[in-house]
Amino acid sequence: MTQTQQVSTHLLDRVSLWLKQTALNGASLETLVTGFCERLAAAGVPLSRVHLSFAMLHPLYDALGFTWQRGKGVTVEGFRAGQSETDAERFLRSPYYYLYSHDLDHLRRRITPETPIEFPIFEELKRDGATDYFAFVQSFSESHGQGMVGSWTTDAPEGFSDQLIEAMLRLQSSLAVAAKMAVLGKLADNMLTTYLGENAGKRVLSGQIRRGDGETIRAVLVMADMRQSTVLAEREGRQAYIDTLNQFFDAIASPFNRGGGEILSFLGDGFLAVYPCGRHREPSQAAALAAMEAVRQATARMADLNRERRENGLSDIGYGIGLHIGNVMFGNVGLRDRLTFSAFGTAVNEVSRLQGLTKKHSTHIVASQAFTAYAGGEWETLGEEKLRGVRQKLTVLVPSEKLLKIDQAEAIRHRTQESSSEAEQVMLLYRNRNTPQRDIWNKLLQ
């Protein structure tokens, strides 16, 4: 019995319809690829392995690859921005580079024990008992800046029939359309999350885009700033200063962008982070404790960064952190045709002034009494301060050394968060459209 008799065209049409509907529902690429491969197998298509890679736009990654194997499901791999020699060599010896360099759309090879090892991937396929291999390149646009490459492999004795290849080509087109919809949807999500933050990005995607849209929330507020940035900029030069600033943000800001916290905005060489909470004591206390854990992590990370800088003959980076709690107006402000999400209000002004007091008191951290009442622990009172632009004086405090020590549970939790944070951002898109086309596909490995 031939493959075309075994595989119902009606079932393949159902797979195509599922792709379209699932894409319209806003499914992720992983959902599309997994569901697509499993449905093809269920329809009787004799696939043993499918590989699909997508070039995209994401500040952390170049490309995202999926490998489906019969009975094993899908594995996902993100390829980091920045080309390694190993990745480059692997790509240059792959069927995908052959397709690209010869301006081809498809490549098919029958695989037998006698088949020459034309590409390294064939060694693995031979070991797995593959009999036929079909690779393709599918661009999402004329510029080739985004697209899909992939391959179908079977271990059926007769390989792929012409009729089955024809059906797969039709399905490939349907998959490309569905994948492009998923890519564009995730692109919007990636960019809004990257530039606005997760909360603000979701608000924009949900339709909160009019000037004046917003709400008042209660939150723990964190304001941090780098010291002597002007001196560093003049002494180190533009690029070195930008690198230093990014090192600073990597060290001090990352802890405040997880565990319930979110960085709302970067303000020059500083940032504002919030921990939204309810108005009762329990949620306020939870937010304050989460912020203090982030403070401990940030302090330790800055100590590590400055130690490394000293070993390289560089000066320490100074910093100040202000901690407060209060009501924040959060929403859309700006021009009618140029808006931004921002947080404003008395509490924001106060945390900014508190951060500034770290200079006056020669300390890294200053908190309001309102914050310490929820955070607990040992604090030293500095006194009452009249803050510029604030009517009432605030009692301000600094944490004890004991309060800044990281316990074992926090250290373990921190290491877990560090290892999983990038994996959770496994959607990737290509970011440099000026890169030569050969490099565009360099991460789309076999």
Side-chain angles (χ1 to χ4, degrees), residues 378-438:
E378 298 179 7
W379 296 81
E380 178 186 344
T381 302
L382 294 176
E384 290 189 334
E385 291 280 354
K386 179 67 173 68
L387 306 183
R388 182 167 55 86
V390 179
R391 182 176 302 175
Q392 295 180 335
K393 288 185 177 182
L394 291 182
T395 300
V396 296
L397 306 94
V398 295
S400 65
E401 291 186 10
K402 180 180 178 181
L403 188 56
L404 293 178
K405 289 183 178 180
I406 298 175
D407 62 32
Q408 186 175 6
E410 286 183 354
I412 294 173
R413 185 159 54 246
H414 172 62
R415 287 195 294 270
T416 301
Q417 290 171 334
E418 285 292 293
S419 63
S420 65
S421 60
E422 289 185 0
E424 291 168 353
Q425 302 180 61
V426 78
M427 281 304 304
L428 1 139
L429 278 201
Y430 193 72
R431 65 176 175 179
N432 187 356
R433 293 181 178 273
N434 297 322
T435 300
Q437 289 184 359
R438 166 172 163 174

Short mmCIF file of all heavy atoms in Angstrom, two decimals, residues 378-438:
data_model
loop_
_atom_site.label_atom_id
_atom_site.label_comp_id
_atom_site.label_asym_id
_atom_site.label_seq_id
_atom_site.Cartn_x
_atom_site.Cartn_y
_atom_site.Cartn_z
N GLU A 378 16.16 45.28 61.43
CA GLU A 378 16.88 46.30 62.20
C GLU A 378 17.25 47.49 61.31
O GLU A 378 17.93 47.32 60.29
CB GLU A 378 18.15 45.69 62.81
CG GLU A 378 17.86 44.56 63.79
CD GLU A 378 19.13 43.96 64.36
OE1 GLU A 378 20.22 44.51 64.08
OE2 GLU A 378 19.05 42.93 65.04
N TRP A 379 16.83 48.68 61.73
CA TRP A 379 17.10 49.91 60.99
C TRP A 379 17.64 50.97 61.96
O TRP A 379 17.27 51.00 63.14
CB TRP A 379 15.84 50.45 60.34
CG TRP A 379 15.26 49.55 59.28
CD1 TRP A 379 14.49 48.45 59.49
CD2 TRP A 379 15.43 49.67 57.88
NE1 TRP A 379 14.15 47.87 58.29
CE2 TRP A 379 14.71 48.61 57.28
CE3 TRP A 379 16.10 50.57 57.05
CZ2 TRP A 379 14.65 48.42 55.90
CZ3 TRP A 379 16.04 50.40 55.67
CH2 TRP A 379 15.33 49.33 55.11
N GLU A 380 18.47 51.82 61.44
CA GLU A 380 19.01 52.94 62.23
C GLU A 380 18.35 54.23 61.75
O GLU A 380 18.36 54.54 60.55
CB GLU A 380 20.52 53.04 62.06
CG GLU A 380 21.14 54.21 62.82
CD GLU A 380 22.61 54.38 62.52
OE1 GLU A 380 23.22 53.42 61.98
OE2 GLU A 380 23.16 55.45 62.81
N THR A 381 17.79 54.96 62.69
CA THR A 381 17.10 56.20 62.33
C THR A 381 18.11 57.33 62.10
O THR A 381 18.98 57.58 62.94
CB THR A 381 16.11 56.62 63.43
OG1 THR A 381 15.16 55.57 63.64
CG2 THR A 381 15.39 57.90 63.05
N LEU A 382 18.00 57.98 60.95
CA LEU A 382 18.88 59.12 60.64
C LEU A 382 18.27 60.43 61.12
O LEU A 382 18.99 61.42 61.29
CB LEU A 382 19.10 59.19 59.13
CG LEU A 382 19.89 58.03 58.50
CD1 LEU A 382 19.93 58.19 56.99
CD2 LEU A 382 21.29 57.96 59.07
N GLY A 383 16.94 60.42 61.29
CA GLY A 383 16.27 61.64 61.73
C GLY A 383 15.15 62.01 60.80
O GLY A 383 14.74 61.23 59.93
N GLU A 384 14.63 63.23 60.98
CA GLU A 384 13.57 63.73 60.12
C GLU A 384 14.18 64.62 59.05
O GLU A 384 15.10 65.40 59.32
CB GLU A 384 12.53 64.50 60.92
CG GLU A 384 11.68 63.62 61.83
CD GLU A 384 10.53 64.39 62.45
OE1 GLU A 384 10.65 65.63 62.59
OE2 GLU A 384 9.50 63.77 62.78
N GLU A 385 13.65 64.49 57.83
CA GLU A 385 14.16 65.27 56.71
C GLU A 385 13.01 66.02 56.04
O GLU A 385 11.92 65.46 55.85
CB GLU A 385 14.83 64.37 55.69
CG GLU A 385 16.13 63.74 56.16
CD GLU A 385 17.31 64.69 56.08
OE1 GLU A 385 17.14 65.82 55.55
OE2 GLU A 385 18.41 64.31 56.55
N LYS A 386 13.28 67.27 55.73
CA LYS A 386 12.32 68.05 54.93
C LYS A 386 12.70 67.88 53.47
O LYS A 386 13.74 68.37 53.03
CB LYS A 386 12.39 69.53 55.32
CG LYS A 386 11.44 70.42 54.52
CD LYS A 386 9.99 70.10 54.86
CE LYS A 386 9.04 71.11 54.19
NZ LYS A 386 9.02 70.98 52.73
N LEU A 387 11.90 67.16 52.75
CA LEU A 387 12.21 66.86 51.35
C LEU A 387 11.68 67.98 50.46
O LEU A 387 10.56 68.49 50.66
CB LEU A 387 11.59 65.53 50.94
CG LEU A 387 11.95 64.31 51.80
CD1 LEU A 387 11.32 63.06 51.21
CD2 LEU A 387 13.47 64.16 51.90
N ARG A 388 12.46 68.34 49.48
CA ARG A 388 12.06 69.40 48.54
C ARG A 388 10.78 69.00 47.81
O ARG A 388 10.66 67.91 47.27
CB ARG A 388 13.19 69.63 47.53
CG ARG A 388 12.89 70.74 46.52
CD ARG A 388 14.16 71.11 45.76
NE ARG A 388 14.77 69.96 45.13
CZ ARG A 388 14.44 69.50 43.92
NH1 ARG A 388 13.48 70.10 43.22
NH2 ARG A 388 15.08 68.48 43.40
N GLY A 389 9.82 69.90 47.86
CA GLY A 389 8.56 69.65 47.19
C GLY A 389 7.58 68.83 47.98
O GLY A 389 6.48 68.52 47.51
N VAL A 390 7.96 68.44 49.21
CA VAL A 390 7.09 67.63 50.07
C VAL A 390 6.75 68.44 51.31
O VAL A 390 7.64 68.96 51.99
CB VAL A 390 7.77 66.30 50.46
CG1 VAL A 390 6.85 65.48 51.37
CG2 VAL A 390 8.14 65.51 49.21
N ARG A 391 5.47 68.53 51.63
CA ARG A 391 5.02 69.42 52.71
C ARG A 391 5.48 68.94 54.07
O ARG A 391 6.01 69.71 54.86
CB ARG A 391 3.49 69.50 52.68
CG ARG A 391 2.90 70.42 53.74
CD ARG A 391 1.40 70.52 53.59
NE ARG A 391 1.04 71.00 52.25
CZ ARG A 391 -0.22 71.08 51.82
NH1 ARG A 391 -1.22 70.73 52.60
NH2 ARG A 391 -0.45 71.53 50.60
N GLN A 392 5.29 67.66 54.38
CA GLN A 392 5.61 67.15 55.70
C GLN A 392 7.01 66.53 55.74
O GLN A 392 7.48 66.00 54.75
CB GLN A 392 4.58 66.11 56.14
CG GLN A 392 3.17 66.68 56.32
CD GLN A 392 2.20 65.61 56.76
OE1 GLN A 392 2.39 64.42 56.51
NE2 GLN A 392 1.14 66.02 57.45
N LYS A 393 7.63 66.61 56.93
CA LYS A 393 8.92 65.95 57.09
C LYS A 393 8.72 64.44 57.14
O LYS A 393 7.69 63.94 57.58
CB LYS A 393 9.59 66.41 58.38
CG LYS A 393 10.12 67.84 58.34
CD LYS A 393 10.87 68.16 59.61
CE LYS A 393 11.48 69.56 59.55
NZ LYS A 393 12.26 69.86 60.78
N LEU A 394 9.75 63.71 56.68
CA LEU A 394 9.72 62.26 56.72
C LEU A 394 10.84 61.75 57.62
O LEU A 394 11.95 62.28 57.59
CB LEU A 394 9.91 61.67 55.32
CG LEU A 394 8.78 61.84 54.30
CD1 LEU A 394 9.16 61.13 53.01
CD2 LEU A 394 7.47 61.29 54.83
N THR A 395 10.52 60.73 58.42
CA THR A 395 11.56 60.06 59.19
C THR A 395 12.27 59.08 58.26
O THR A 395 11.62 58.26 57.59
CB THR A 395 10.95 59.30 60.38
OG1 THR A 395 10.28 60.24 61.23
CG2 THR A 395 12.03 58.58 61.17
N VAL A 396 13.60 59.17 58.20
CA VAL A 396 14.35 58.34 57.27
C VAL A 396 15.30 57.43 58.05
O VAL A 396 15.79 57.79 59.12
CB VAL A 396 15.12 59.19 56.25
CG1 VAL A 396 14.16 59.98 55.37
CG2 VAL A 396 16.10 60.13 56.94
N LEU A 397 15.57 56.26 57.48
CA LEU A 397 16.36 55.25 58.17
C LEU A 397 17.30 54.54 57.20
O LEU A 397 17.09 54.59 55.97
CB LEU A 397 15.43 54.20 58.83
CG LEU A 397 14.34 54.71 59.77
CD1 LEU A 397 13.03 54.90 59.00
CD2 LEU A 397 14.12 53.73 60.93
N VAL A 398 18.32 53.88 57.76
CA VAL A 398 19.24 53.06 56.97
C VAL A 398 19.23 51.65 57.54
O VAL A 398 19.05 51.46 58.76
CB VAL A 398 20.67 53.63 56.96
CG1 VAL A 398 20.72 54.97 56.26
CG2 VAL A 398 21.20 53.73 58.38
N PRO A 399 19.41 50.62 56.71
CA PRO A 399 19.38 49.24 57.20
C PRO A 399 20.66 48.88 57.94
O PRO A 399 21.74 49.39 57.64
CB PRO A 399 19.23 48.41 55.93
CG PRO A 399 19.87 49.25 54.87
CD PRO A 399 19.57 50.68 55.24
N SER A 400 20.52 47.96 58.87
CA SER A 400 21.69 47.44 59.56
C SER A 400 22.45 46.49 58.66
O SER A 400 21.92 46.00 57.66
CB SER A 400 21.27 46.70 60.83
OG SER A 400 20.50 45.54 60.49
N GLU A 401 23.72 46.23 58.99
CA GLU A 401 24.50 45.27 58.21
C GLU A 401 23.85 43.89 58.24
O GLU A 401 23.86 43.16 57.24
CB GLU A 401 25.92 45.19 58.75
CG GLU A 401 26.75 46.44 58.51
CD GLU A 401 28.20 46.25 58.93
OE1 GLU A 401 28.58 45.09 59.23
OE2 GLU A 401 28.95 47.24 58.96
N LYS A 402 23.29 43.52 59.38
CA LYS A 402 22.63 42.22 59.51
C LYS A 402 21.47 42.11 58.54
O LYS A 402 21.24 41.05 57.95
CB LYS A 402 22.14 42.04 60.95
CG LYS A 402 21.43 40.72 61.19
CD LYS A 402 20.97 40.61 62.64
CE LYS A 402 20.22 39.31 62.87
NZ LYS A 402 19.74 39.20 64.28
N LEU A 403 20.73 43.19 58.36
CA LEU A 403 19.56 43.17 57.49
C LEU A 403 19.94 42.99 56.02
O LEU A 403 19.14 42.53 55.21
CB LEU A 403 18.76 44.47 57.66
CG LEU A 403 17.39 44.56 56.97
CD1 LEU A 403 16.49 43.41 57.39
CD2 LEU A 403 16.74 45.90 57.28
N LEU A 404 21.19 43.34 55.68
CA LEU A 404 21.63 43.24 54.28
C LEU A 404 22.33 41.92 53.97
O LEU A 404 22.74 41.69 52.83
CB LEU A 404 22.58 44.40 53.95
CG LEU A 404 21.94 45.79 53.93
CD1 LEU A 404 22.99 46.85 53.63
CD2 LEU A 404 20.79 45.85 52.93
N LYS A 405 22.45 41.04 54.95
CA LYS A 405 23.09 39.75 54.70
C LYS A 405 22.10 38.79 54.04
O LYS A 405 20.94 38.71 54.44
CB LYS A 405 23.61 39.15 56.01
CG LYS A 405 24.82 39.88 56.56
CD LYS A 405 25.34 39.20 57.82
CE LYS A 405 26.59 39.91 58.35
NZ LYS A 405 27.11 39.28 59.59
N ILE A 406 22.58 38.05 53.04
CA ILE A 406 21.73 37.11 52.30
C ILE A 406 21.77 35.76 53.00
O ILE A 406 22.85 35.21 53.25
CB ILE A 406 22.21 36.96 50.85
CG1 ILE A 406 22.13 38.31 50.12
CG2 ILE A 406 21.40 35.91 50.11
CD1 ILE A 406 22.69 38.27 48.72
N ASP A 407 20.59 35.21 53.32
CA ASP A 407 20.58 33.89 53.95
C ASP A 407 20.65 32.81 52.88
O ASP A 407 20.57 33.08 51.67
CB ASP A 407 19.35 33.70 54.85
CG ASP A 407 18.03 33.79 54.10
OD1 ASP A 407 17.97 33.40 52.91
OD2 ASP A 407 17.03 34.22 54.70
N GLN A 408 20.78 31.57 53.31
CA GLN A 408 21.00 30.46 52.39
C GLN A 408 19.82 30.26 51.45
O GLN A 408 19.99 30.00 50.26
CB GLN A 408 21.27 29.17 53.16
CG GLN A 408 21.65 27.98 52.27
CD GLN A 408 22.02 26.76 53.09
OE1 GLN A 408 21.90 26.75 54.30
NE2 GLN A 408 22.48 25.72 52.41
N ALA A 409 18.60 30.38 51.98
CA ALA A 409 17.40 30.18 51.15
C ALA A 409 17.33 31.22 50.04
O ALA A 409 17.00 30.91 48.89
CB ALA A 409 16.15 30.26 52.02
N GLU A 410 17.67 32.47 50.37
CA GLU A 410 17.67 33.53 49.36
C GLU A 410 18.74 33.29 48.31
O GLU A 410 18.52 33.53 47.12
CB GLU A 410 17.87 34.89 50.02
CG GLU A 410 16.66 35.40 50.76
CD GLU A 410 16.88 36.79 51.33
OE1 GLU A 410 18.02 37.30 51.24
OE2 GLU A 410 15.92 37.37 51.86
N ALA A 411 19.89 32.80 48.74
CA ALA A 411 20.97 32.53 47.79
C ALA A 411 20.57 31.46 46.80
O ALA A 411 20.80 31.59 45.59
CB ALA A 411 22.23 32.11 48.54
N ILE A 412 19.92 30.40 47.28
CA ILE A 412 19.46 29.32 46.39
C ILE A 412 18.39 29.85 45.44
O ILE A 412 18.41 29.57 44.24
CB ILE A 412 18.92 28.15 47.22
CG1 ILE A 412 20.05 27.50 48.01
CG2 ILE A 412 18.24 27.12 46.31
CD1 ILE A 412 19.59 26.44 48.98
N ARG A 413 17.45 30.61 45.99
CA ARG A 413 16.38 31.17 45.16
C ARG A 413 16.95 32.09 44.09
O ARG A 413 16.50 32.08 42.94
CB ARG A 413 15.39 31.91 46.05
CG ARG A 413 14.17 32.43 45.33
CD ARG A 413 13.02 32.69 46.30
NE ARG A 413 13.40 33.57 47.39
CZ ARG A 413 13.45 33.19 48.66
NH1 ARG A 413 13.17 31.95 49.00
NH2 ARG A 413 13.79 34.05 49.62
N HIS A 414 17.94 32.86 44.46
CA HIS A 414 18.58 33.78 43.51
C HIS A 414 19.25 33.02 42.37
O HIS A 414 19.10 33.36 41.20
CB HIS A 414 19.60 34.65 44.24
CG HIS A 414 20.44 35.49 43.35
ND1 HIS A 414 19.93 36.47 42.54
CD2 HIS A 414 21.78 35.47 43.11
CE1 HIS A 414 20.91 37.04 41.86
NE2 HIS A 414 22.04 36.46 42.19
N ARG A 415 19.98 31.95 42.70
CA ARG A 415 20.65 31.16 41.65
C ARG A 415 19.64 30.53 40.72
O ARG A 415 19.84 30.46 39.50
CB ARG A 415 21.54 30.10 42.29
CG ARG A 415 22.80 30.64 42.94
CD ARG A 415 23.80 29.52 43.21
NE ARG A 415 23.30 28.59 44.20
CZ ARG A 415 23.49 28.70 45.50
NH1 ARG A 415 24.18 29.73 45.99
NH2 ARG A 415 23.02 27.80 46.34
N THR A 416 18.52 30.07 41.27
CA THR A 416 17.47 29.46 40.44
C THR A 416 16.87 30.49 39.50
O THR A 416 16.65 30.22 38.31
CB THR A 416 16.36 28.88 41.33
OG1 THR A 416 16.93 27.90 42.20
CG2 THR A 416 15.28 28.22 40.49
N GLN A 417 16.61 31.69 40.01
CA GLN A 417 16.05 32.74 39.17
C GLN A 417 17.01 33.15 38.07
O GLN A 417 16.61 33.39 36.93
CB GLN A 417 15.70 33.96 40.04
CG GLN A 417 14.52 33.74 40.96
CD GLN A 417 14.35 34.88 41.94
OE1 GLN A 417 15.30 35.59 42.28
NE2 GLN A 417 13.13 35.07 42.42
N GLU A 418 18.30 33.21 38.40
CA GLU A 418 19.30 33.59 37.41
C GLU A 418 19.35 32.58 36.28
O GLU A 418 19.48 32.93 35.11
CB GLU A 418 20.67 33.69 38.06
CG GLU A 418 20.85 34.92 38.90
CD GLU A 418 20.87 36.18 38.05
OE1 GLU A 418 21.82 36.35 37.28
OE2 GLU A 418 19.93 36.97 38.17
N SER A 419 19.25 31.28 36.58
CA SER A 419 19.37 30.25 35.56
C SER A 419 18.12 30.12 34.73
O SER A 419 18.18 29.69 33.58
CB SER A 419 19.69 28.89 36.21
OG SER A 419 18.64 28.49 37.06
N SER A 420 16.95 30.50 35.28
CA SER A 420 15.71 30.29 34.55
C SER A 420 15.20 31.53 33.84
O SER A 420 14.37 31.44 32.96
CB SER A 420 14.62 29.80 35.51
OG SER A 420 14.29 30.79 36.45
N SER A 421 15.68 32.71 34.21
CA SER A 421 15.10 33.93 33.68
C SER A 421 15.21 34.02 32.17
O SER A 421 14.26 34.41 31.49
CB SER A 421 15.75 35.15 34.32
OG SER A 421 17.15 35.17 34.07
N GLU A 422 16.35 33.65 31.60
CA GLU A 422 16.50 33.74 30.15
C GLU A 422 15.76 32.61 29.45
O GLU A 422 15.22 32.79 28.36
CB GLU A 422 17.98 33.71 29.77
CG GLU A 422 18.70 35.00 30.15
CD GLU A 422 20.12 35.02 29.66
OE1 GLU A 422 20.55 34.03 29.03
OE2 GLU A 422 20.82 36.00 29.92
N ALA A 423 15.71 31.42 30.06
CA ALA A 423 14.99 30.32 29.45
C ALA A 423 13.51 30.65 29.34
O ALA A 423 12.84 30.21 28.39
CB ALA A 423 15.17 29.05 30.29
N GLU A 424 12.99 31.44 30.27
CA GLU A 424 11.59 31.80 30.23
C GLU A 424 11.30 32.80 29.10
O GLU A 424 10.15 32.99 28.73
CB GLU A 424 11.17 32.40 31.58
CG GLU A 424 11.15 31.38 32.70
CD GLU A 424 11.04 32.03 34.05
OE1 GLU A 424 11.10 33.27 34.12
OE2 GLU A 424 10.91 31.30 35.04
N GLN A 425 12.35 33.40 28.57
CA GLN A 425 12.18 34.35 27.46
C GLN A 425 12.60 33.69 26.15
O GLN A 425 13.35 34.25 25.36
CB GLN A 425 13.02 35.59 27.72
CG GLN A 425 12.69 36.28 29.02
CD GLN A 425 13.55 37.50 29.23
OE1 GLN A 425 13.52 38.44 28.44
NE2 GLN A 425 14.32 37.50 30.28
N VAL A 426 12.11 32.48 25.92
CA VAL A 426 12.64 31.67 24.84
C VAL A 426 12.16 32.11 23.46
O VAL A 426 12.54 31.53 22.48
CB VAL A 426 12.32 30.19 25.09
CG1 VAL A 426 10.88 29.88 24.75
CG2 VAL A 426 13.28 29.26 24.39
N MET A 427 11.29 33.13 23.37
CA MET A 427 10.92 33.67 22.08
C MET A 427 12.05 34.59 21.60
O MET A 427 12.54 35.41 22.33
CB MET A 427 9.64 34.49 22.19
CG MET A 427 8.41 33.64 22.24
SD MET A 427 8.27 32.54 20.85
CE MET A 427 8.37 33.71 19.52
N LEU A 428 12.46 34.42 20.35
CA LEU A 428 13.61 35.15 19.86
C LEU A 428 13.35 35.73 18.49
O LEU A 428 12.80 35.10 17.67
CB LEU A 428 14.79 34.19 19.67
CG LEU A 428 14.47 32.80 19.99
CD1 LEU A 428 15.08 31.86 19.00
CD2 LEU A 428 14.96 32.55 21.36
N LEU A 429 13.84 36.91 18.29
CA LEU A 429 13.71 37.49 16.98
C LEU A 429 14.97 38.21 16.58
O LEU A 429 15.67 38.74 17.43
CB LEU A 429 12.53 38.45 16.94
CG LEU A 429 11.20 37.77 16.74
CD1 LEU A 429 10.17 38.70 16.23
CD2 LEU A 429 11.32 36.62 15.88
N TYR A 430 15.24 38.20 15.32
CA TYR A 430 16.48 38.78 14.82
C TYR A 430 16.44 40.30 14.90
O TYR A 430 15.45 40.90 14.54
CB TYR A 430 16.68 38.34 13.38
CG TYR A 430 18.05 38.63 12.90
CD1 TYR A 430 19.13 37.88 13.35
CD2 TYR A 430 18.29 39.67 12.03
CE1 TYR A 430 20.39 38.16 12.94
CE2 TYR A 430 19.56 39.94 11.61
CZ TYR A 430 20.61 39.18 12.07
OH TYR A 430 21.87 39.45 11.67
N ARG A 431 17.48 40.94 15.42
CA ARG A 431 17.40 42.36 15.70
C ARG A 431 18.21 43.25 14.78
O ARG A 431 18.00 44.45 14.75
CB ARG A 431 17.84 42.64 17.14
CG ARG A 431 19.30 42.33 17.43
CD ARG A 431 19.65 42.74 18.85
NE ARG A 431 21.00 42.34 19.20
CZ ARG A 431 21.56 42.60 20.37
NH1 ARG A 431 20.89 43.23 21.28
NH2 ARG A 431 22.79 42.22 20.62
N ASN A 432 19.17 42.72 14.03
CA ASN A 432 20.03 43.59 13.23
C ASN A 432 19.77 43.36 11.75
O ASN A 432 20.32 42.48 11.13
CB ASN A 432 21.50 43.29 13.56
CG ASN A 432 22.43 44.27 12.88
OD1 ASN A 432 21.98 45.13 12.12
ND2 ASN A 432 23.71 44.16 13.14
N ARG A 433 18.92 44.18 11.18
CA ARG A 433 18.56 44.00 9.77
C ARG A 433 19.70 44.40 8.83
O ARG A 433 19.63 44.14 7.63
CB ARG A 433 17.31 44.81 9.44
CG ARG A 433 16.08 44.30 10.16
CD ARG A 433 14.87 45.12 9.79
NE ARG A 433 13.68 44.59 10.43
CZ ARG A 433 12.93 43.63 9.93
NH1 ARG A 433 13.25 43.08 8.79
NH2 ARG A 433 11.86 43.20 10.56
N ASN A 434 20.74 45.03 9.35
CA ASN A 434 21.87 45.42 8.50
C ASN A 434 22.95 44.36 8.45
O ASN A 434 23.94 44.51 7.74
CB ASN A 434 22.48 46.72 9.03
CG ASN A 434 21.50 47.87 8.94
OD1 ASN A 434 20.75 47.95 7.98
ND2 ASN A 434 21.48 48.73 9.94
N THR A 435 22.75 43.25 9.20
CA THR A 435 23.73 42.17 9.17
C THR A 435 23.67 41.48 7.81
O THR A 435 22.59 41.29 7.26
CB THR A 435 23.41 41.14 10.28
OG1 THR A 435 23.47 41.82 11.53
CG2 THR A 435 24.41 40.00 10.27
N PRO A 436 24.81 41.09 7.21
CA PRO A 436 24.78 40.37 5.93
C PRO A 436 23.87 39.16 6.01
O PRO A 436 23.76 38.51 7.04
CB PRO A 436 26.25 39.95 5.75
CG PRO A 436 27.02 40.96 6.53
CD PRO A 436 26.16 41.31 7.70
N GLN A 437 23.23 38.82 4.88
CA GLN A 437 22.24 37.75 4.87
C GLN A 437 22.83 36.43 5.31
O GLN A 437 22.15 35.61 5.91
CB GLN A 437 21.62 37.61 3.48
CG GLN A 437 20.71 38.78 3.13
CD GLN A 437 20.04 38.59 1.80
OE1 GLN A 437 20.27 37.59 1.14
NE2 GLN A 437 19.23 39.54 1.41
N ARG A 438 24.09 36.19 5.03
CA ARG A 438 24.70 34.94 5.45
C ARG A 438 24.63 34.80 6.97
O ARG A 438 24.40 33.72 7.49
CB ARG A 438 26.16 34.90 4.99
CG ARG A 438 26.99 33.80 5.65
CD ARG A 438 28.33 33.72 4.99
NE ARG A 438 29.29 33.01 5.81
CZ ARG A 438 30.50 32.70 5.42
NH1 ARG A 438 30.92 33.07 4.22
NH2 ARG A 438 31.33 32.05 6.21
#
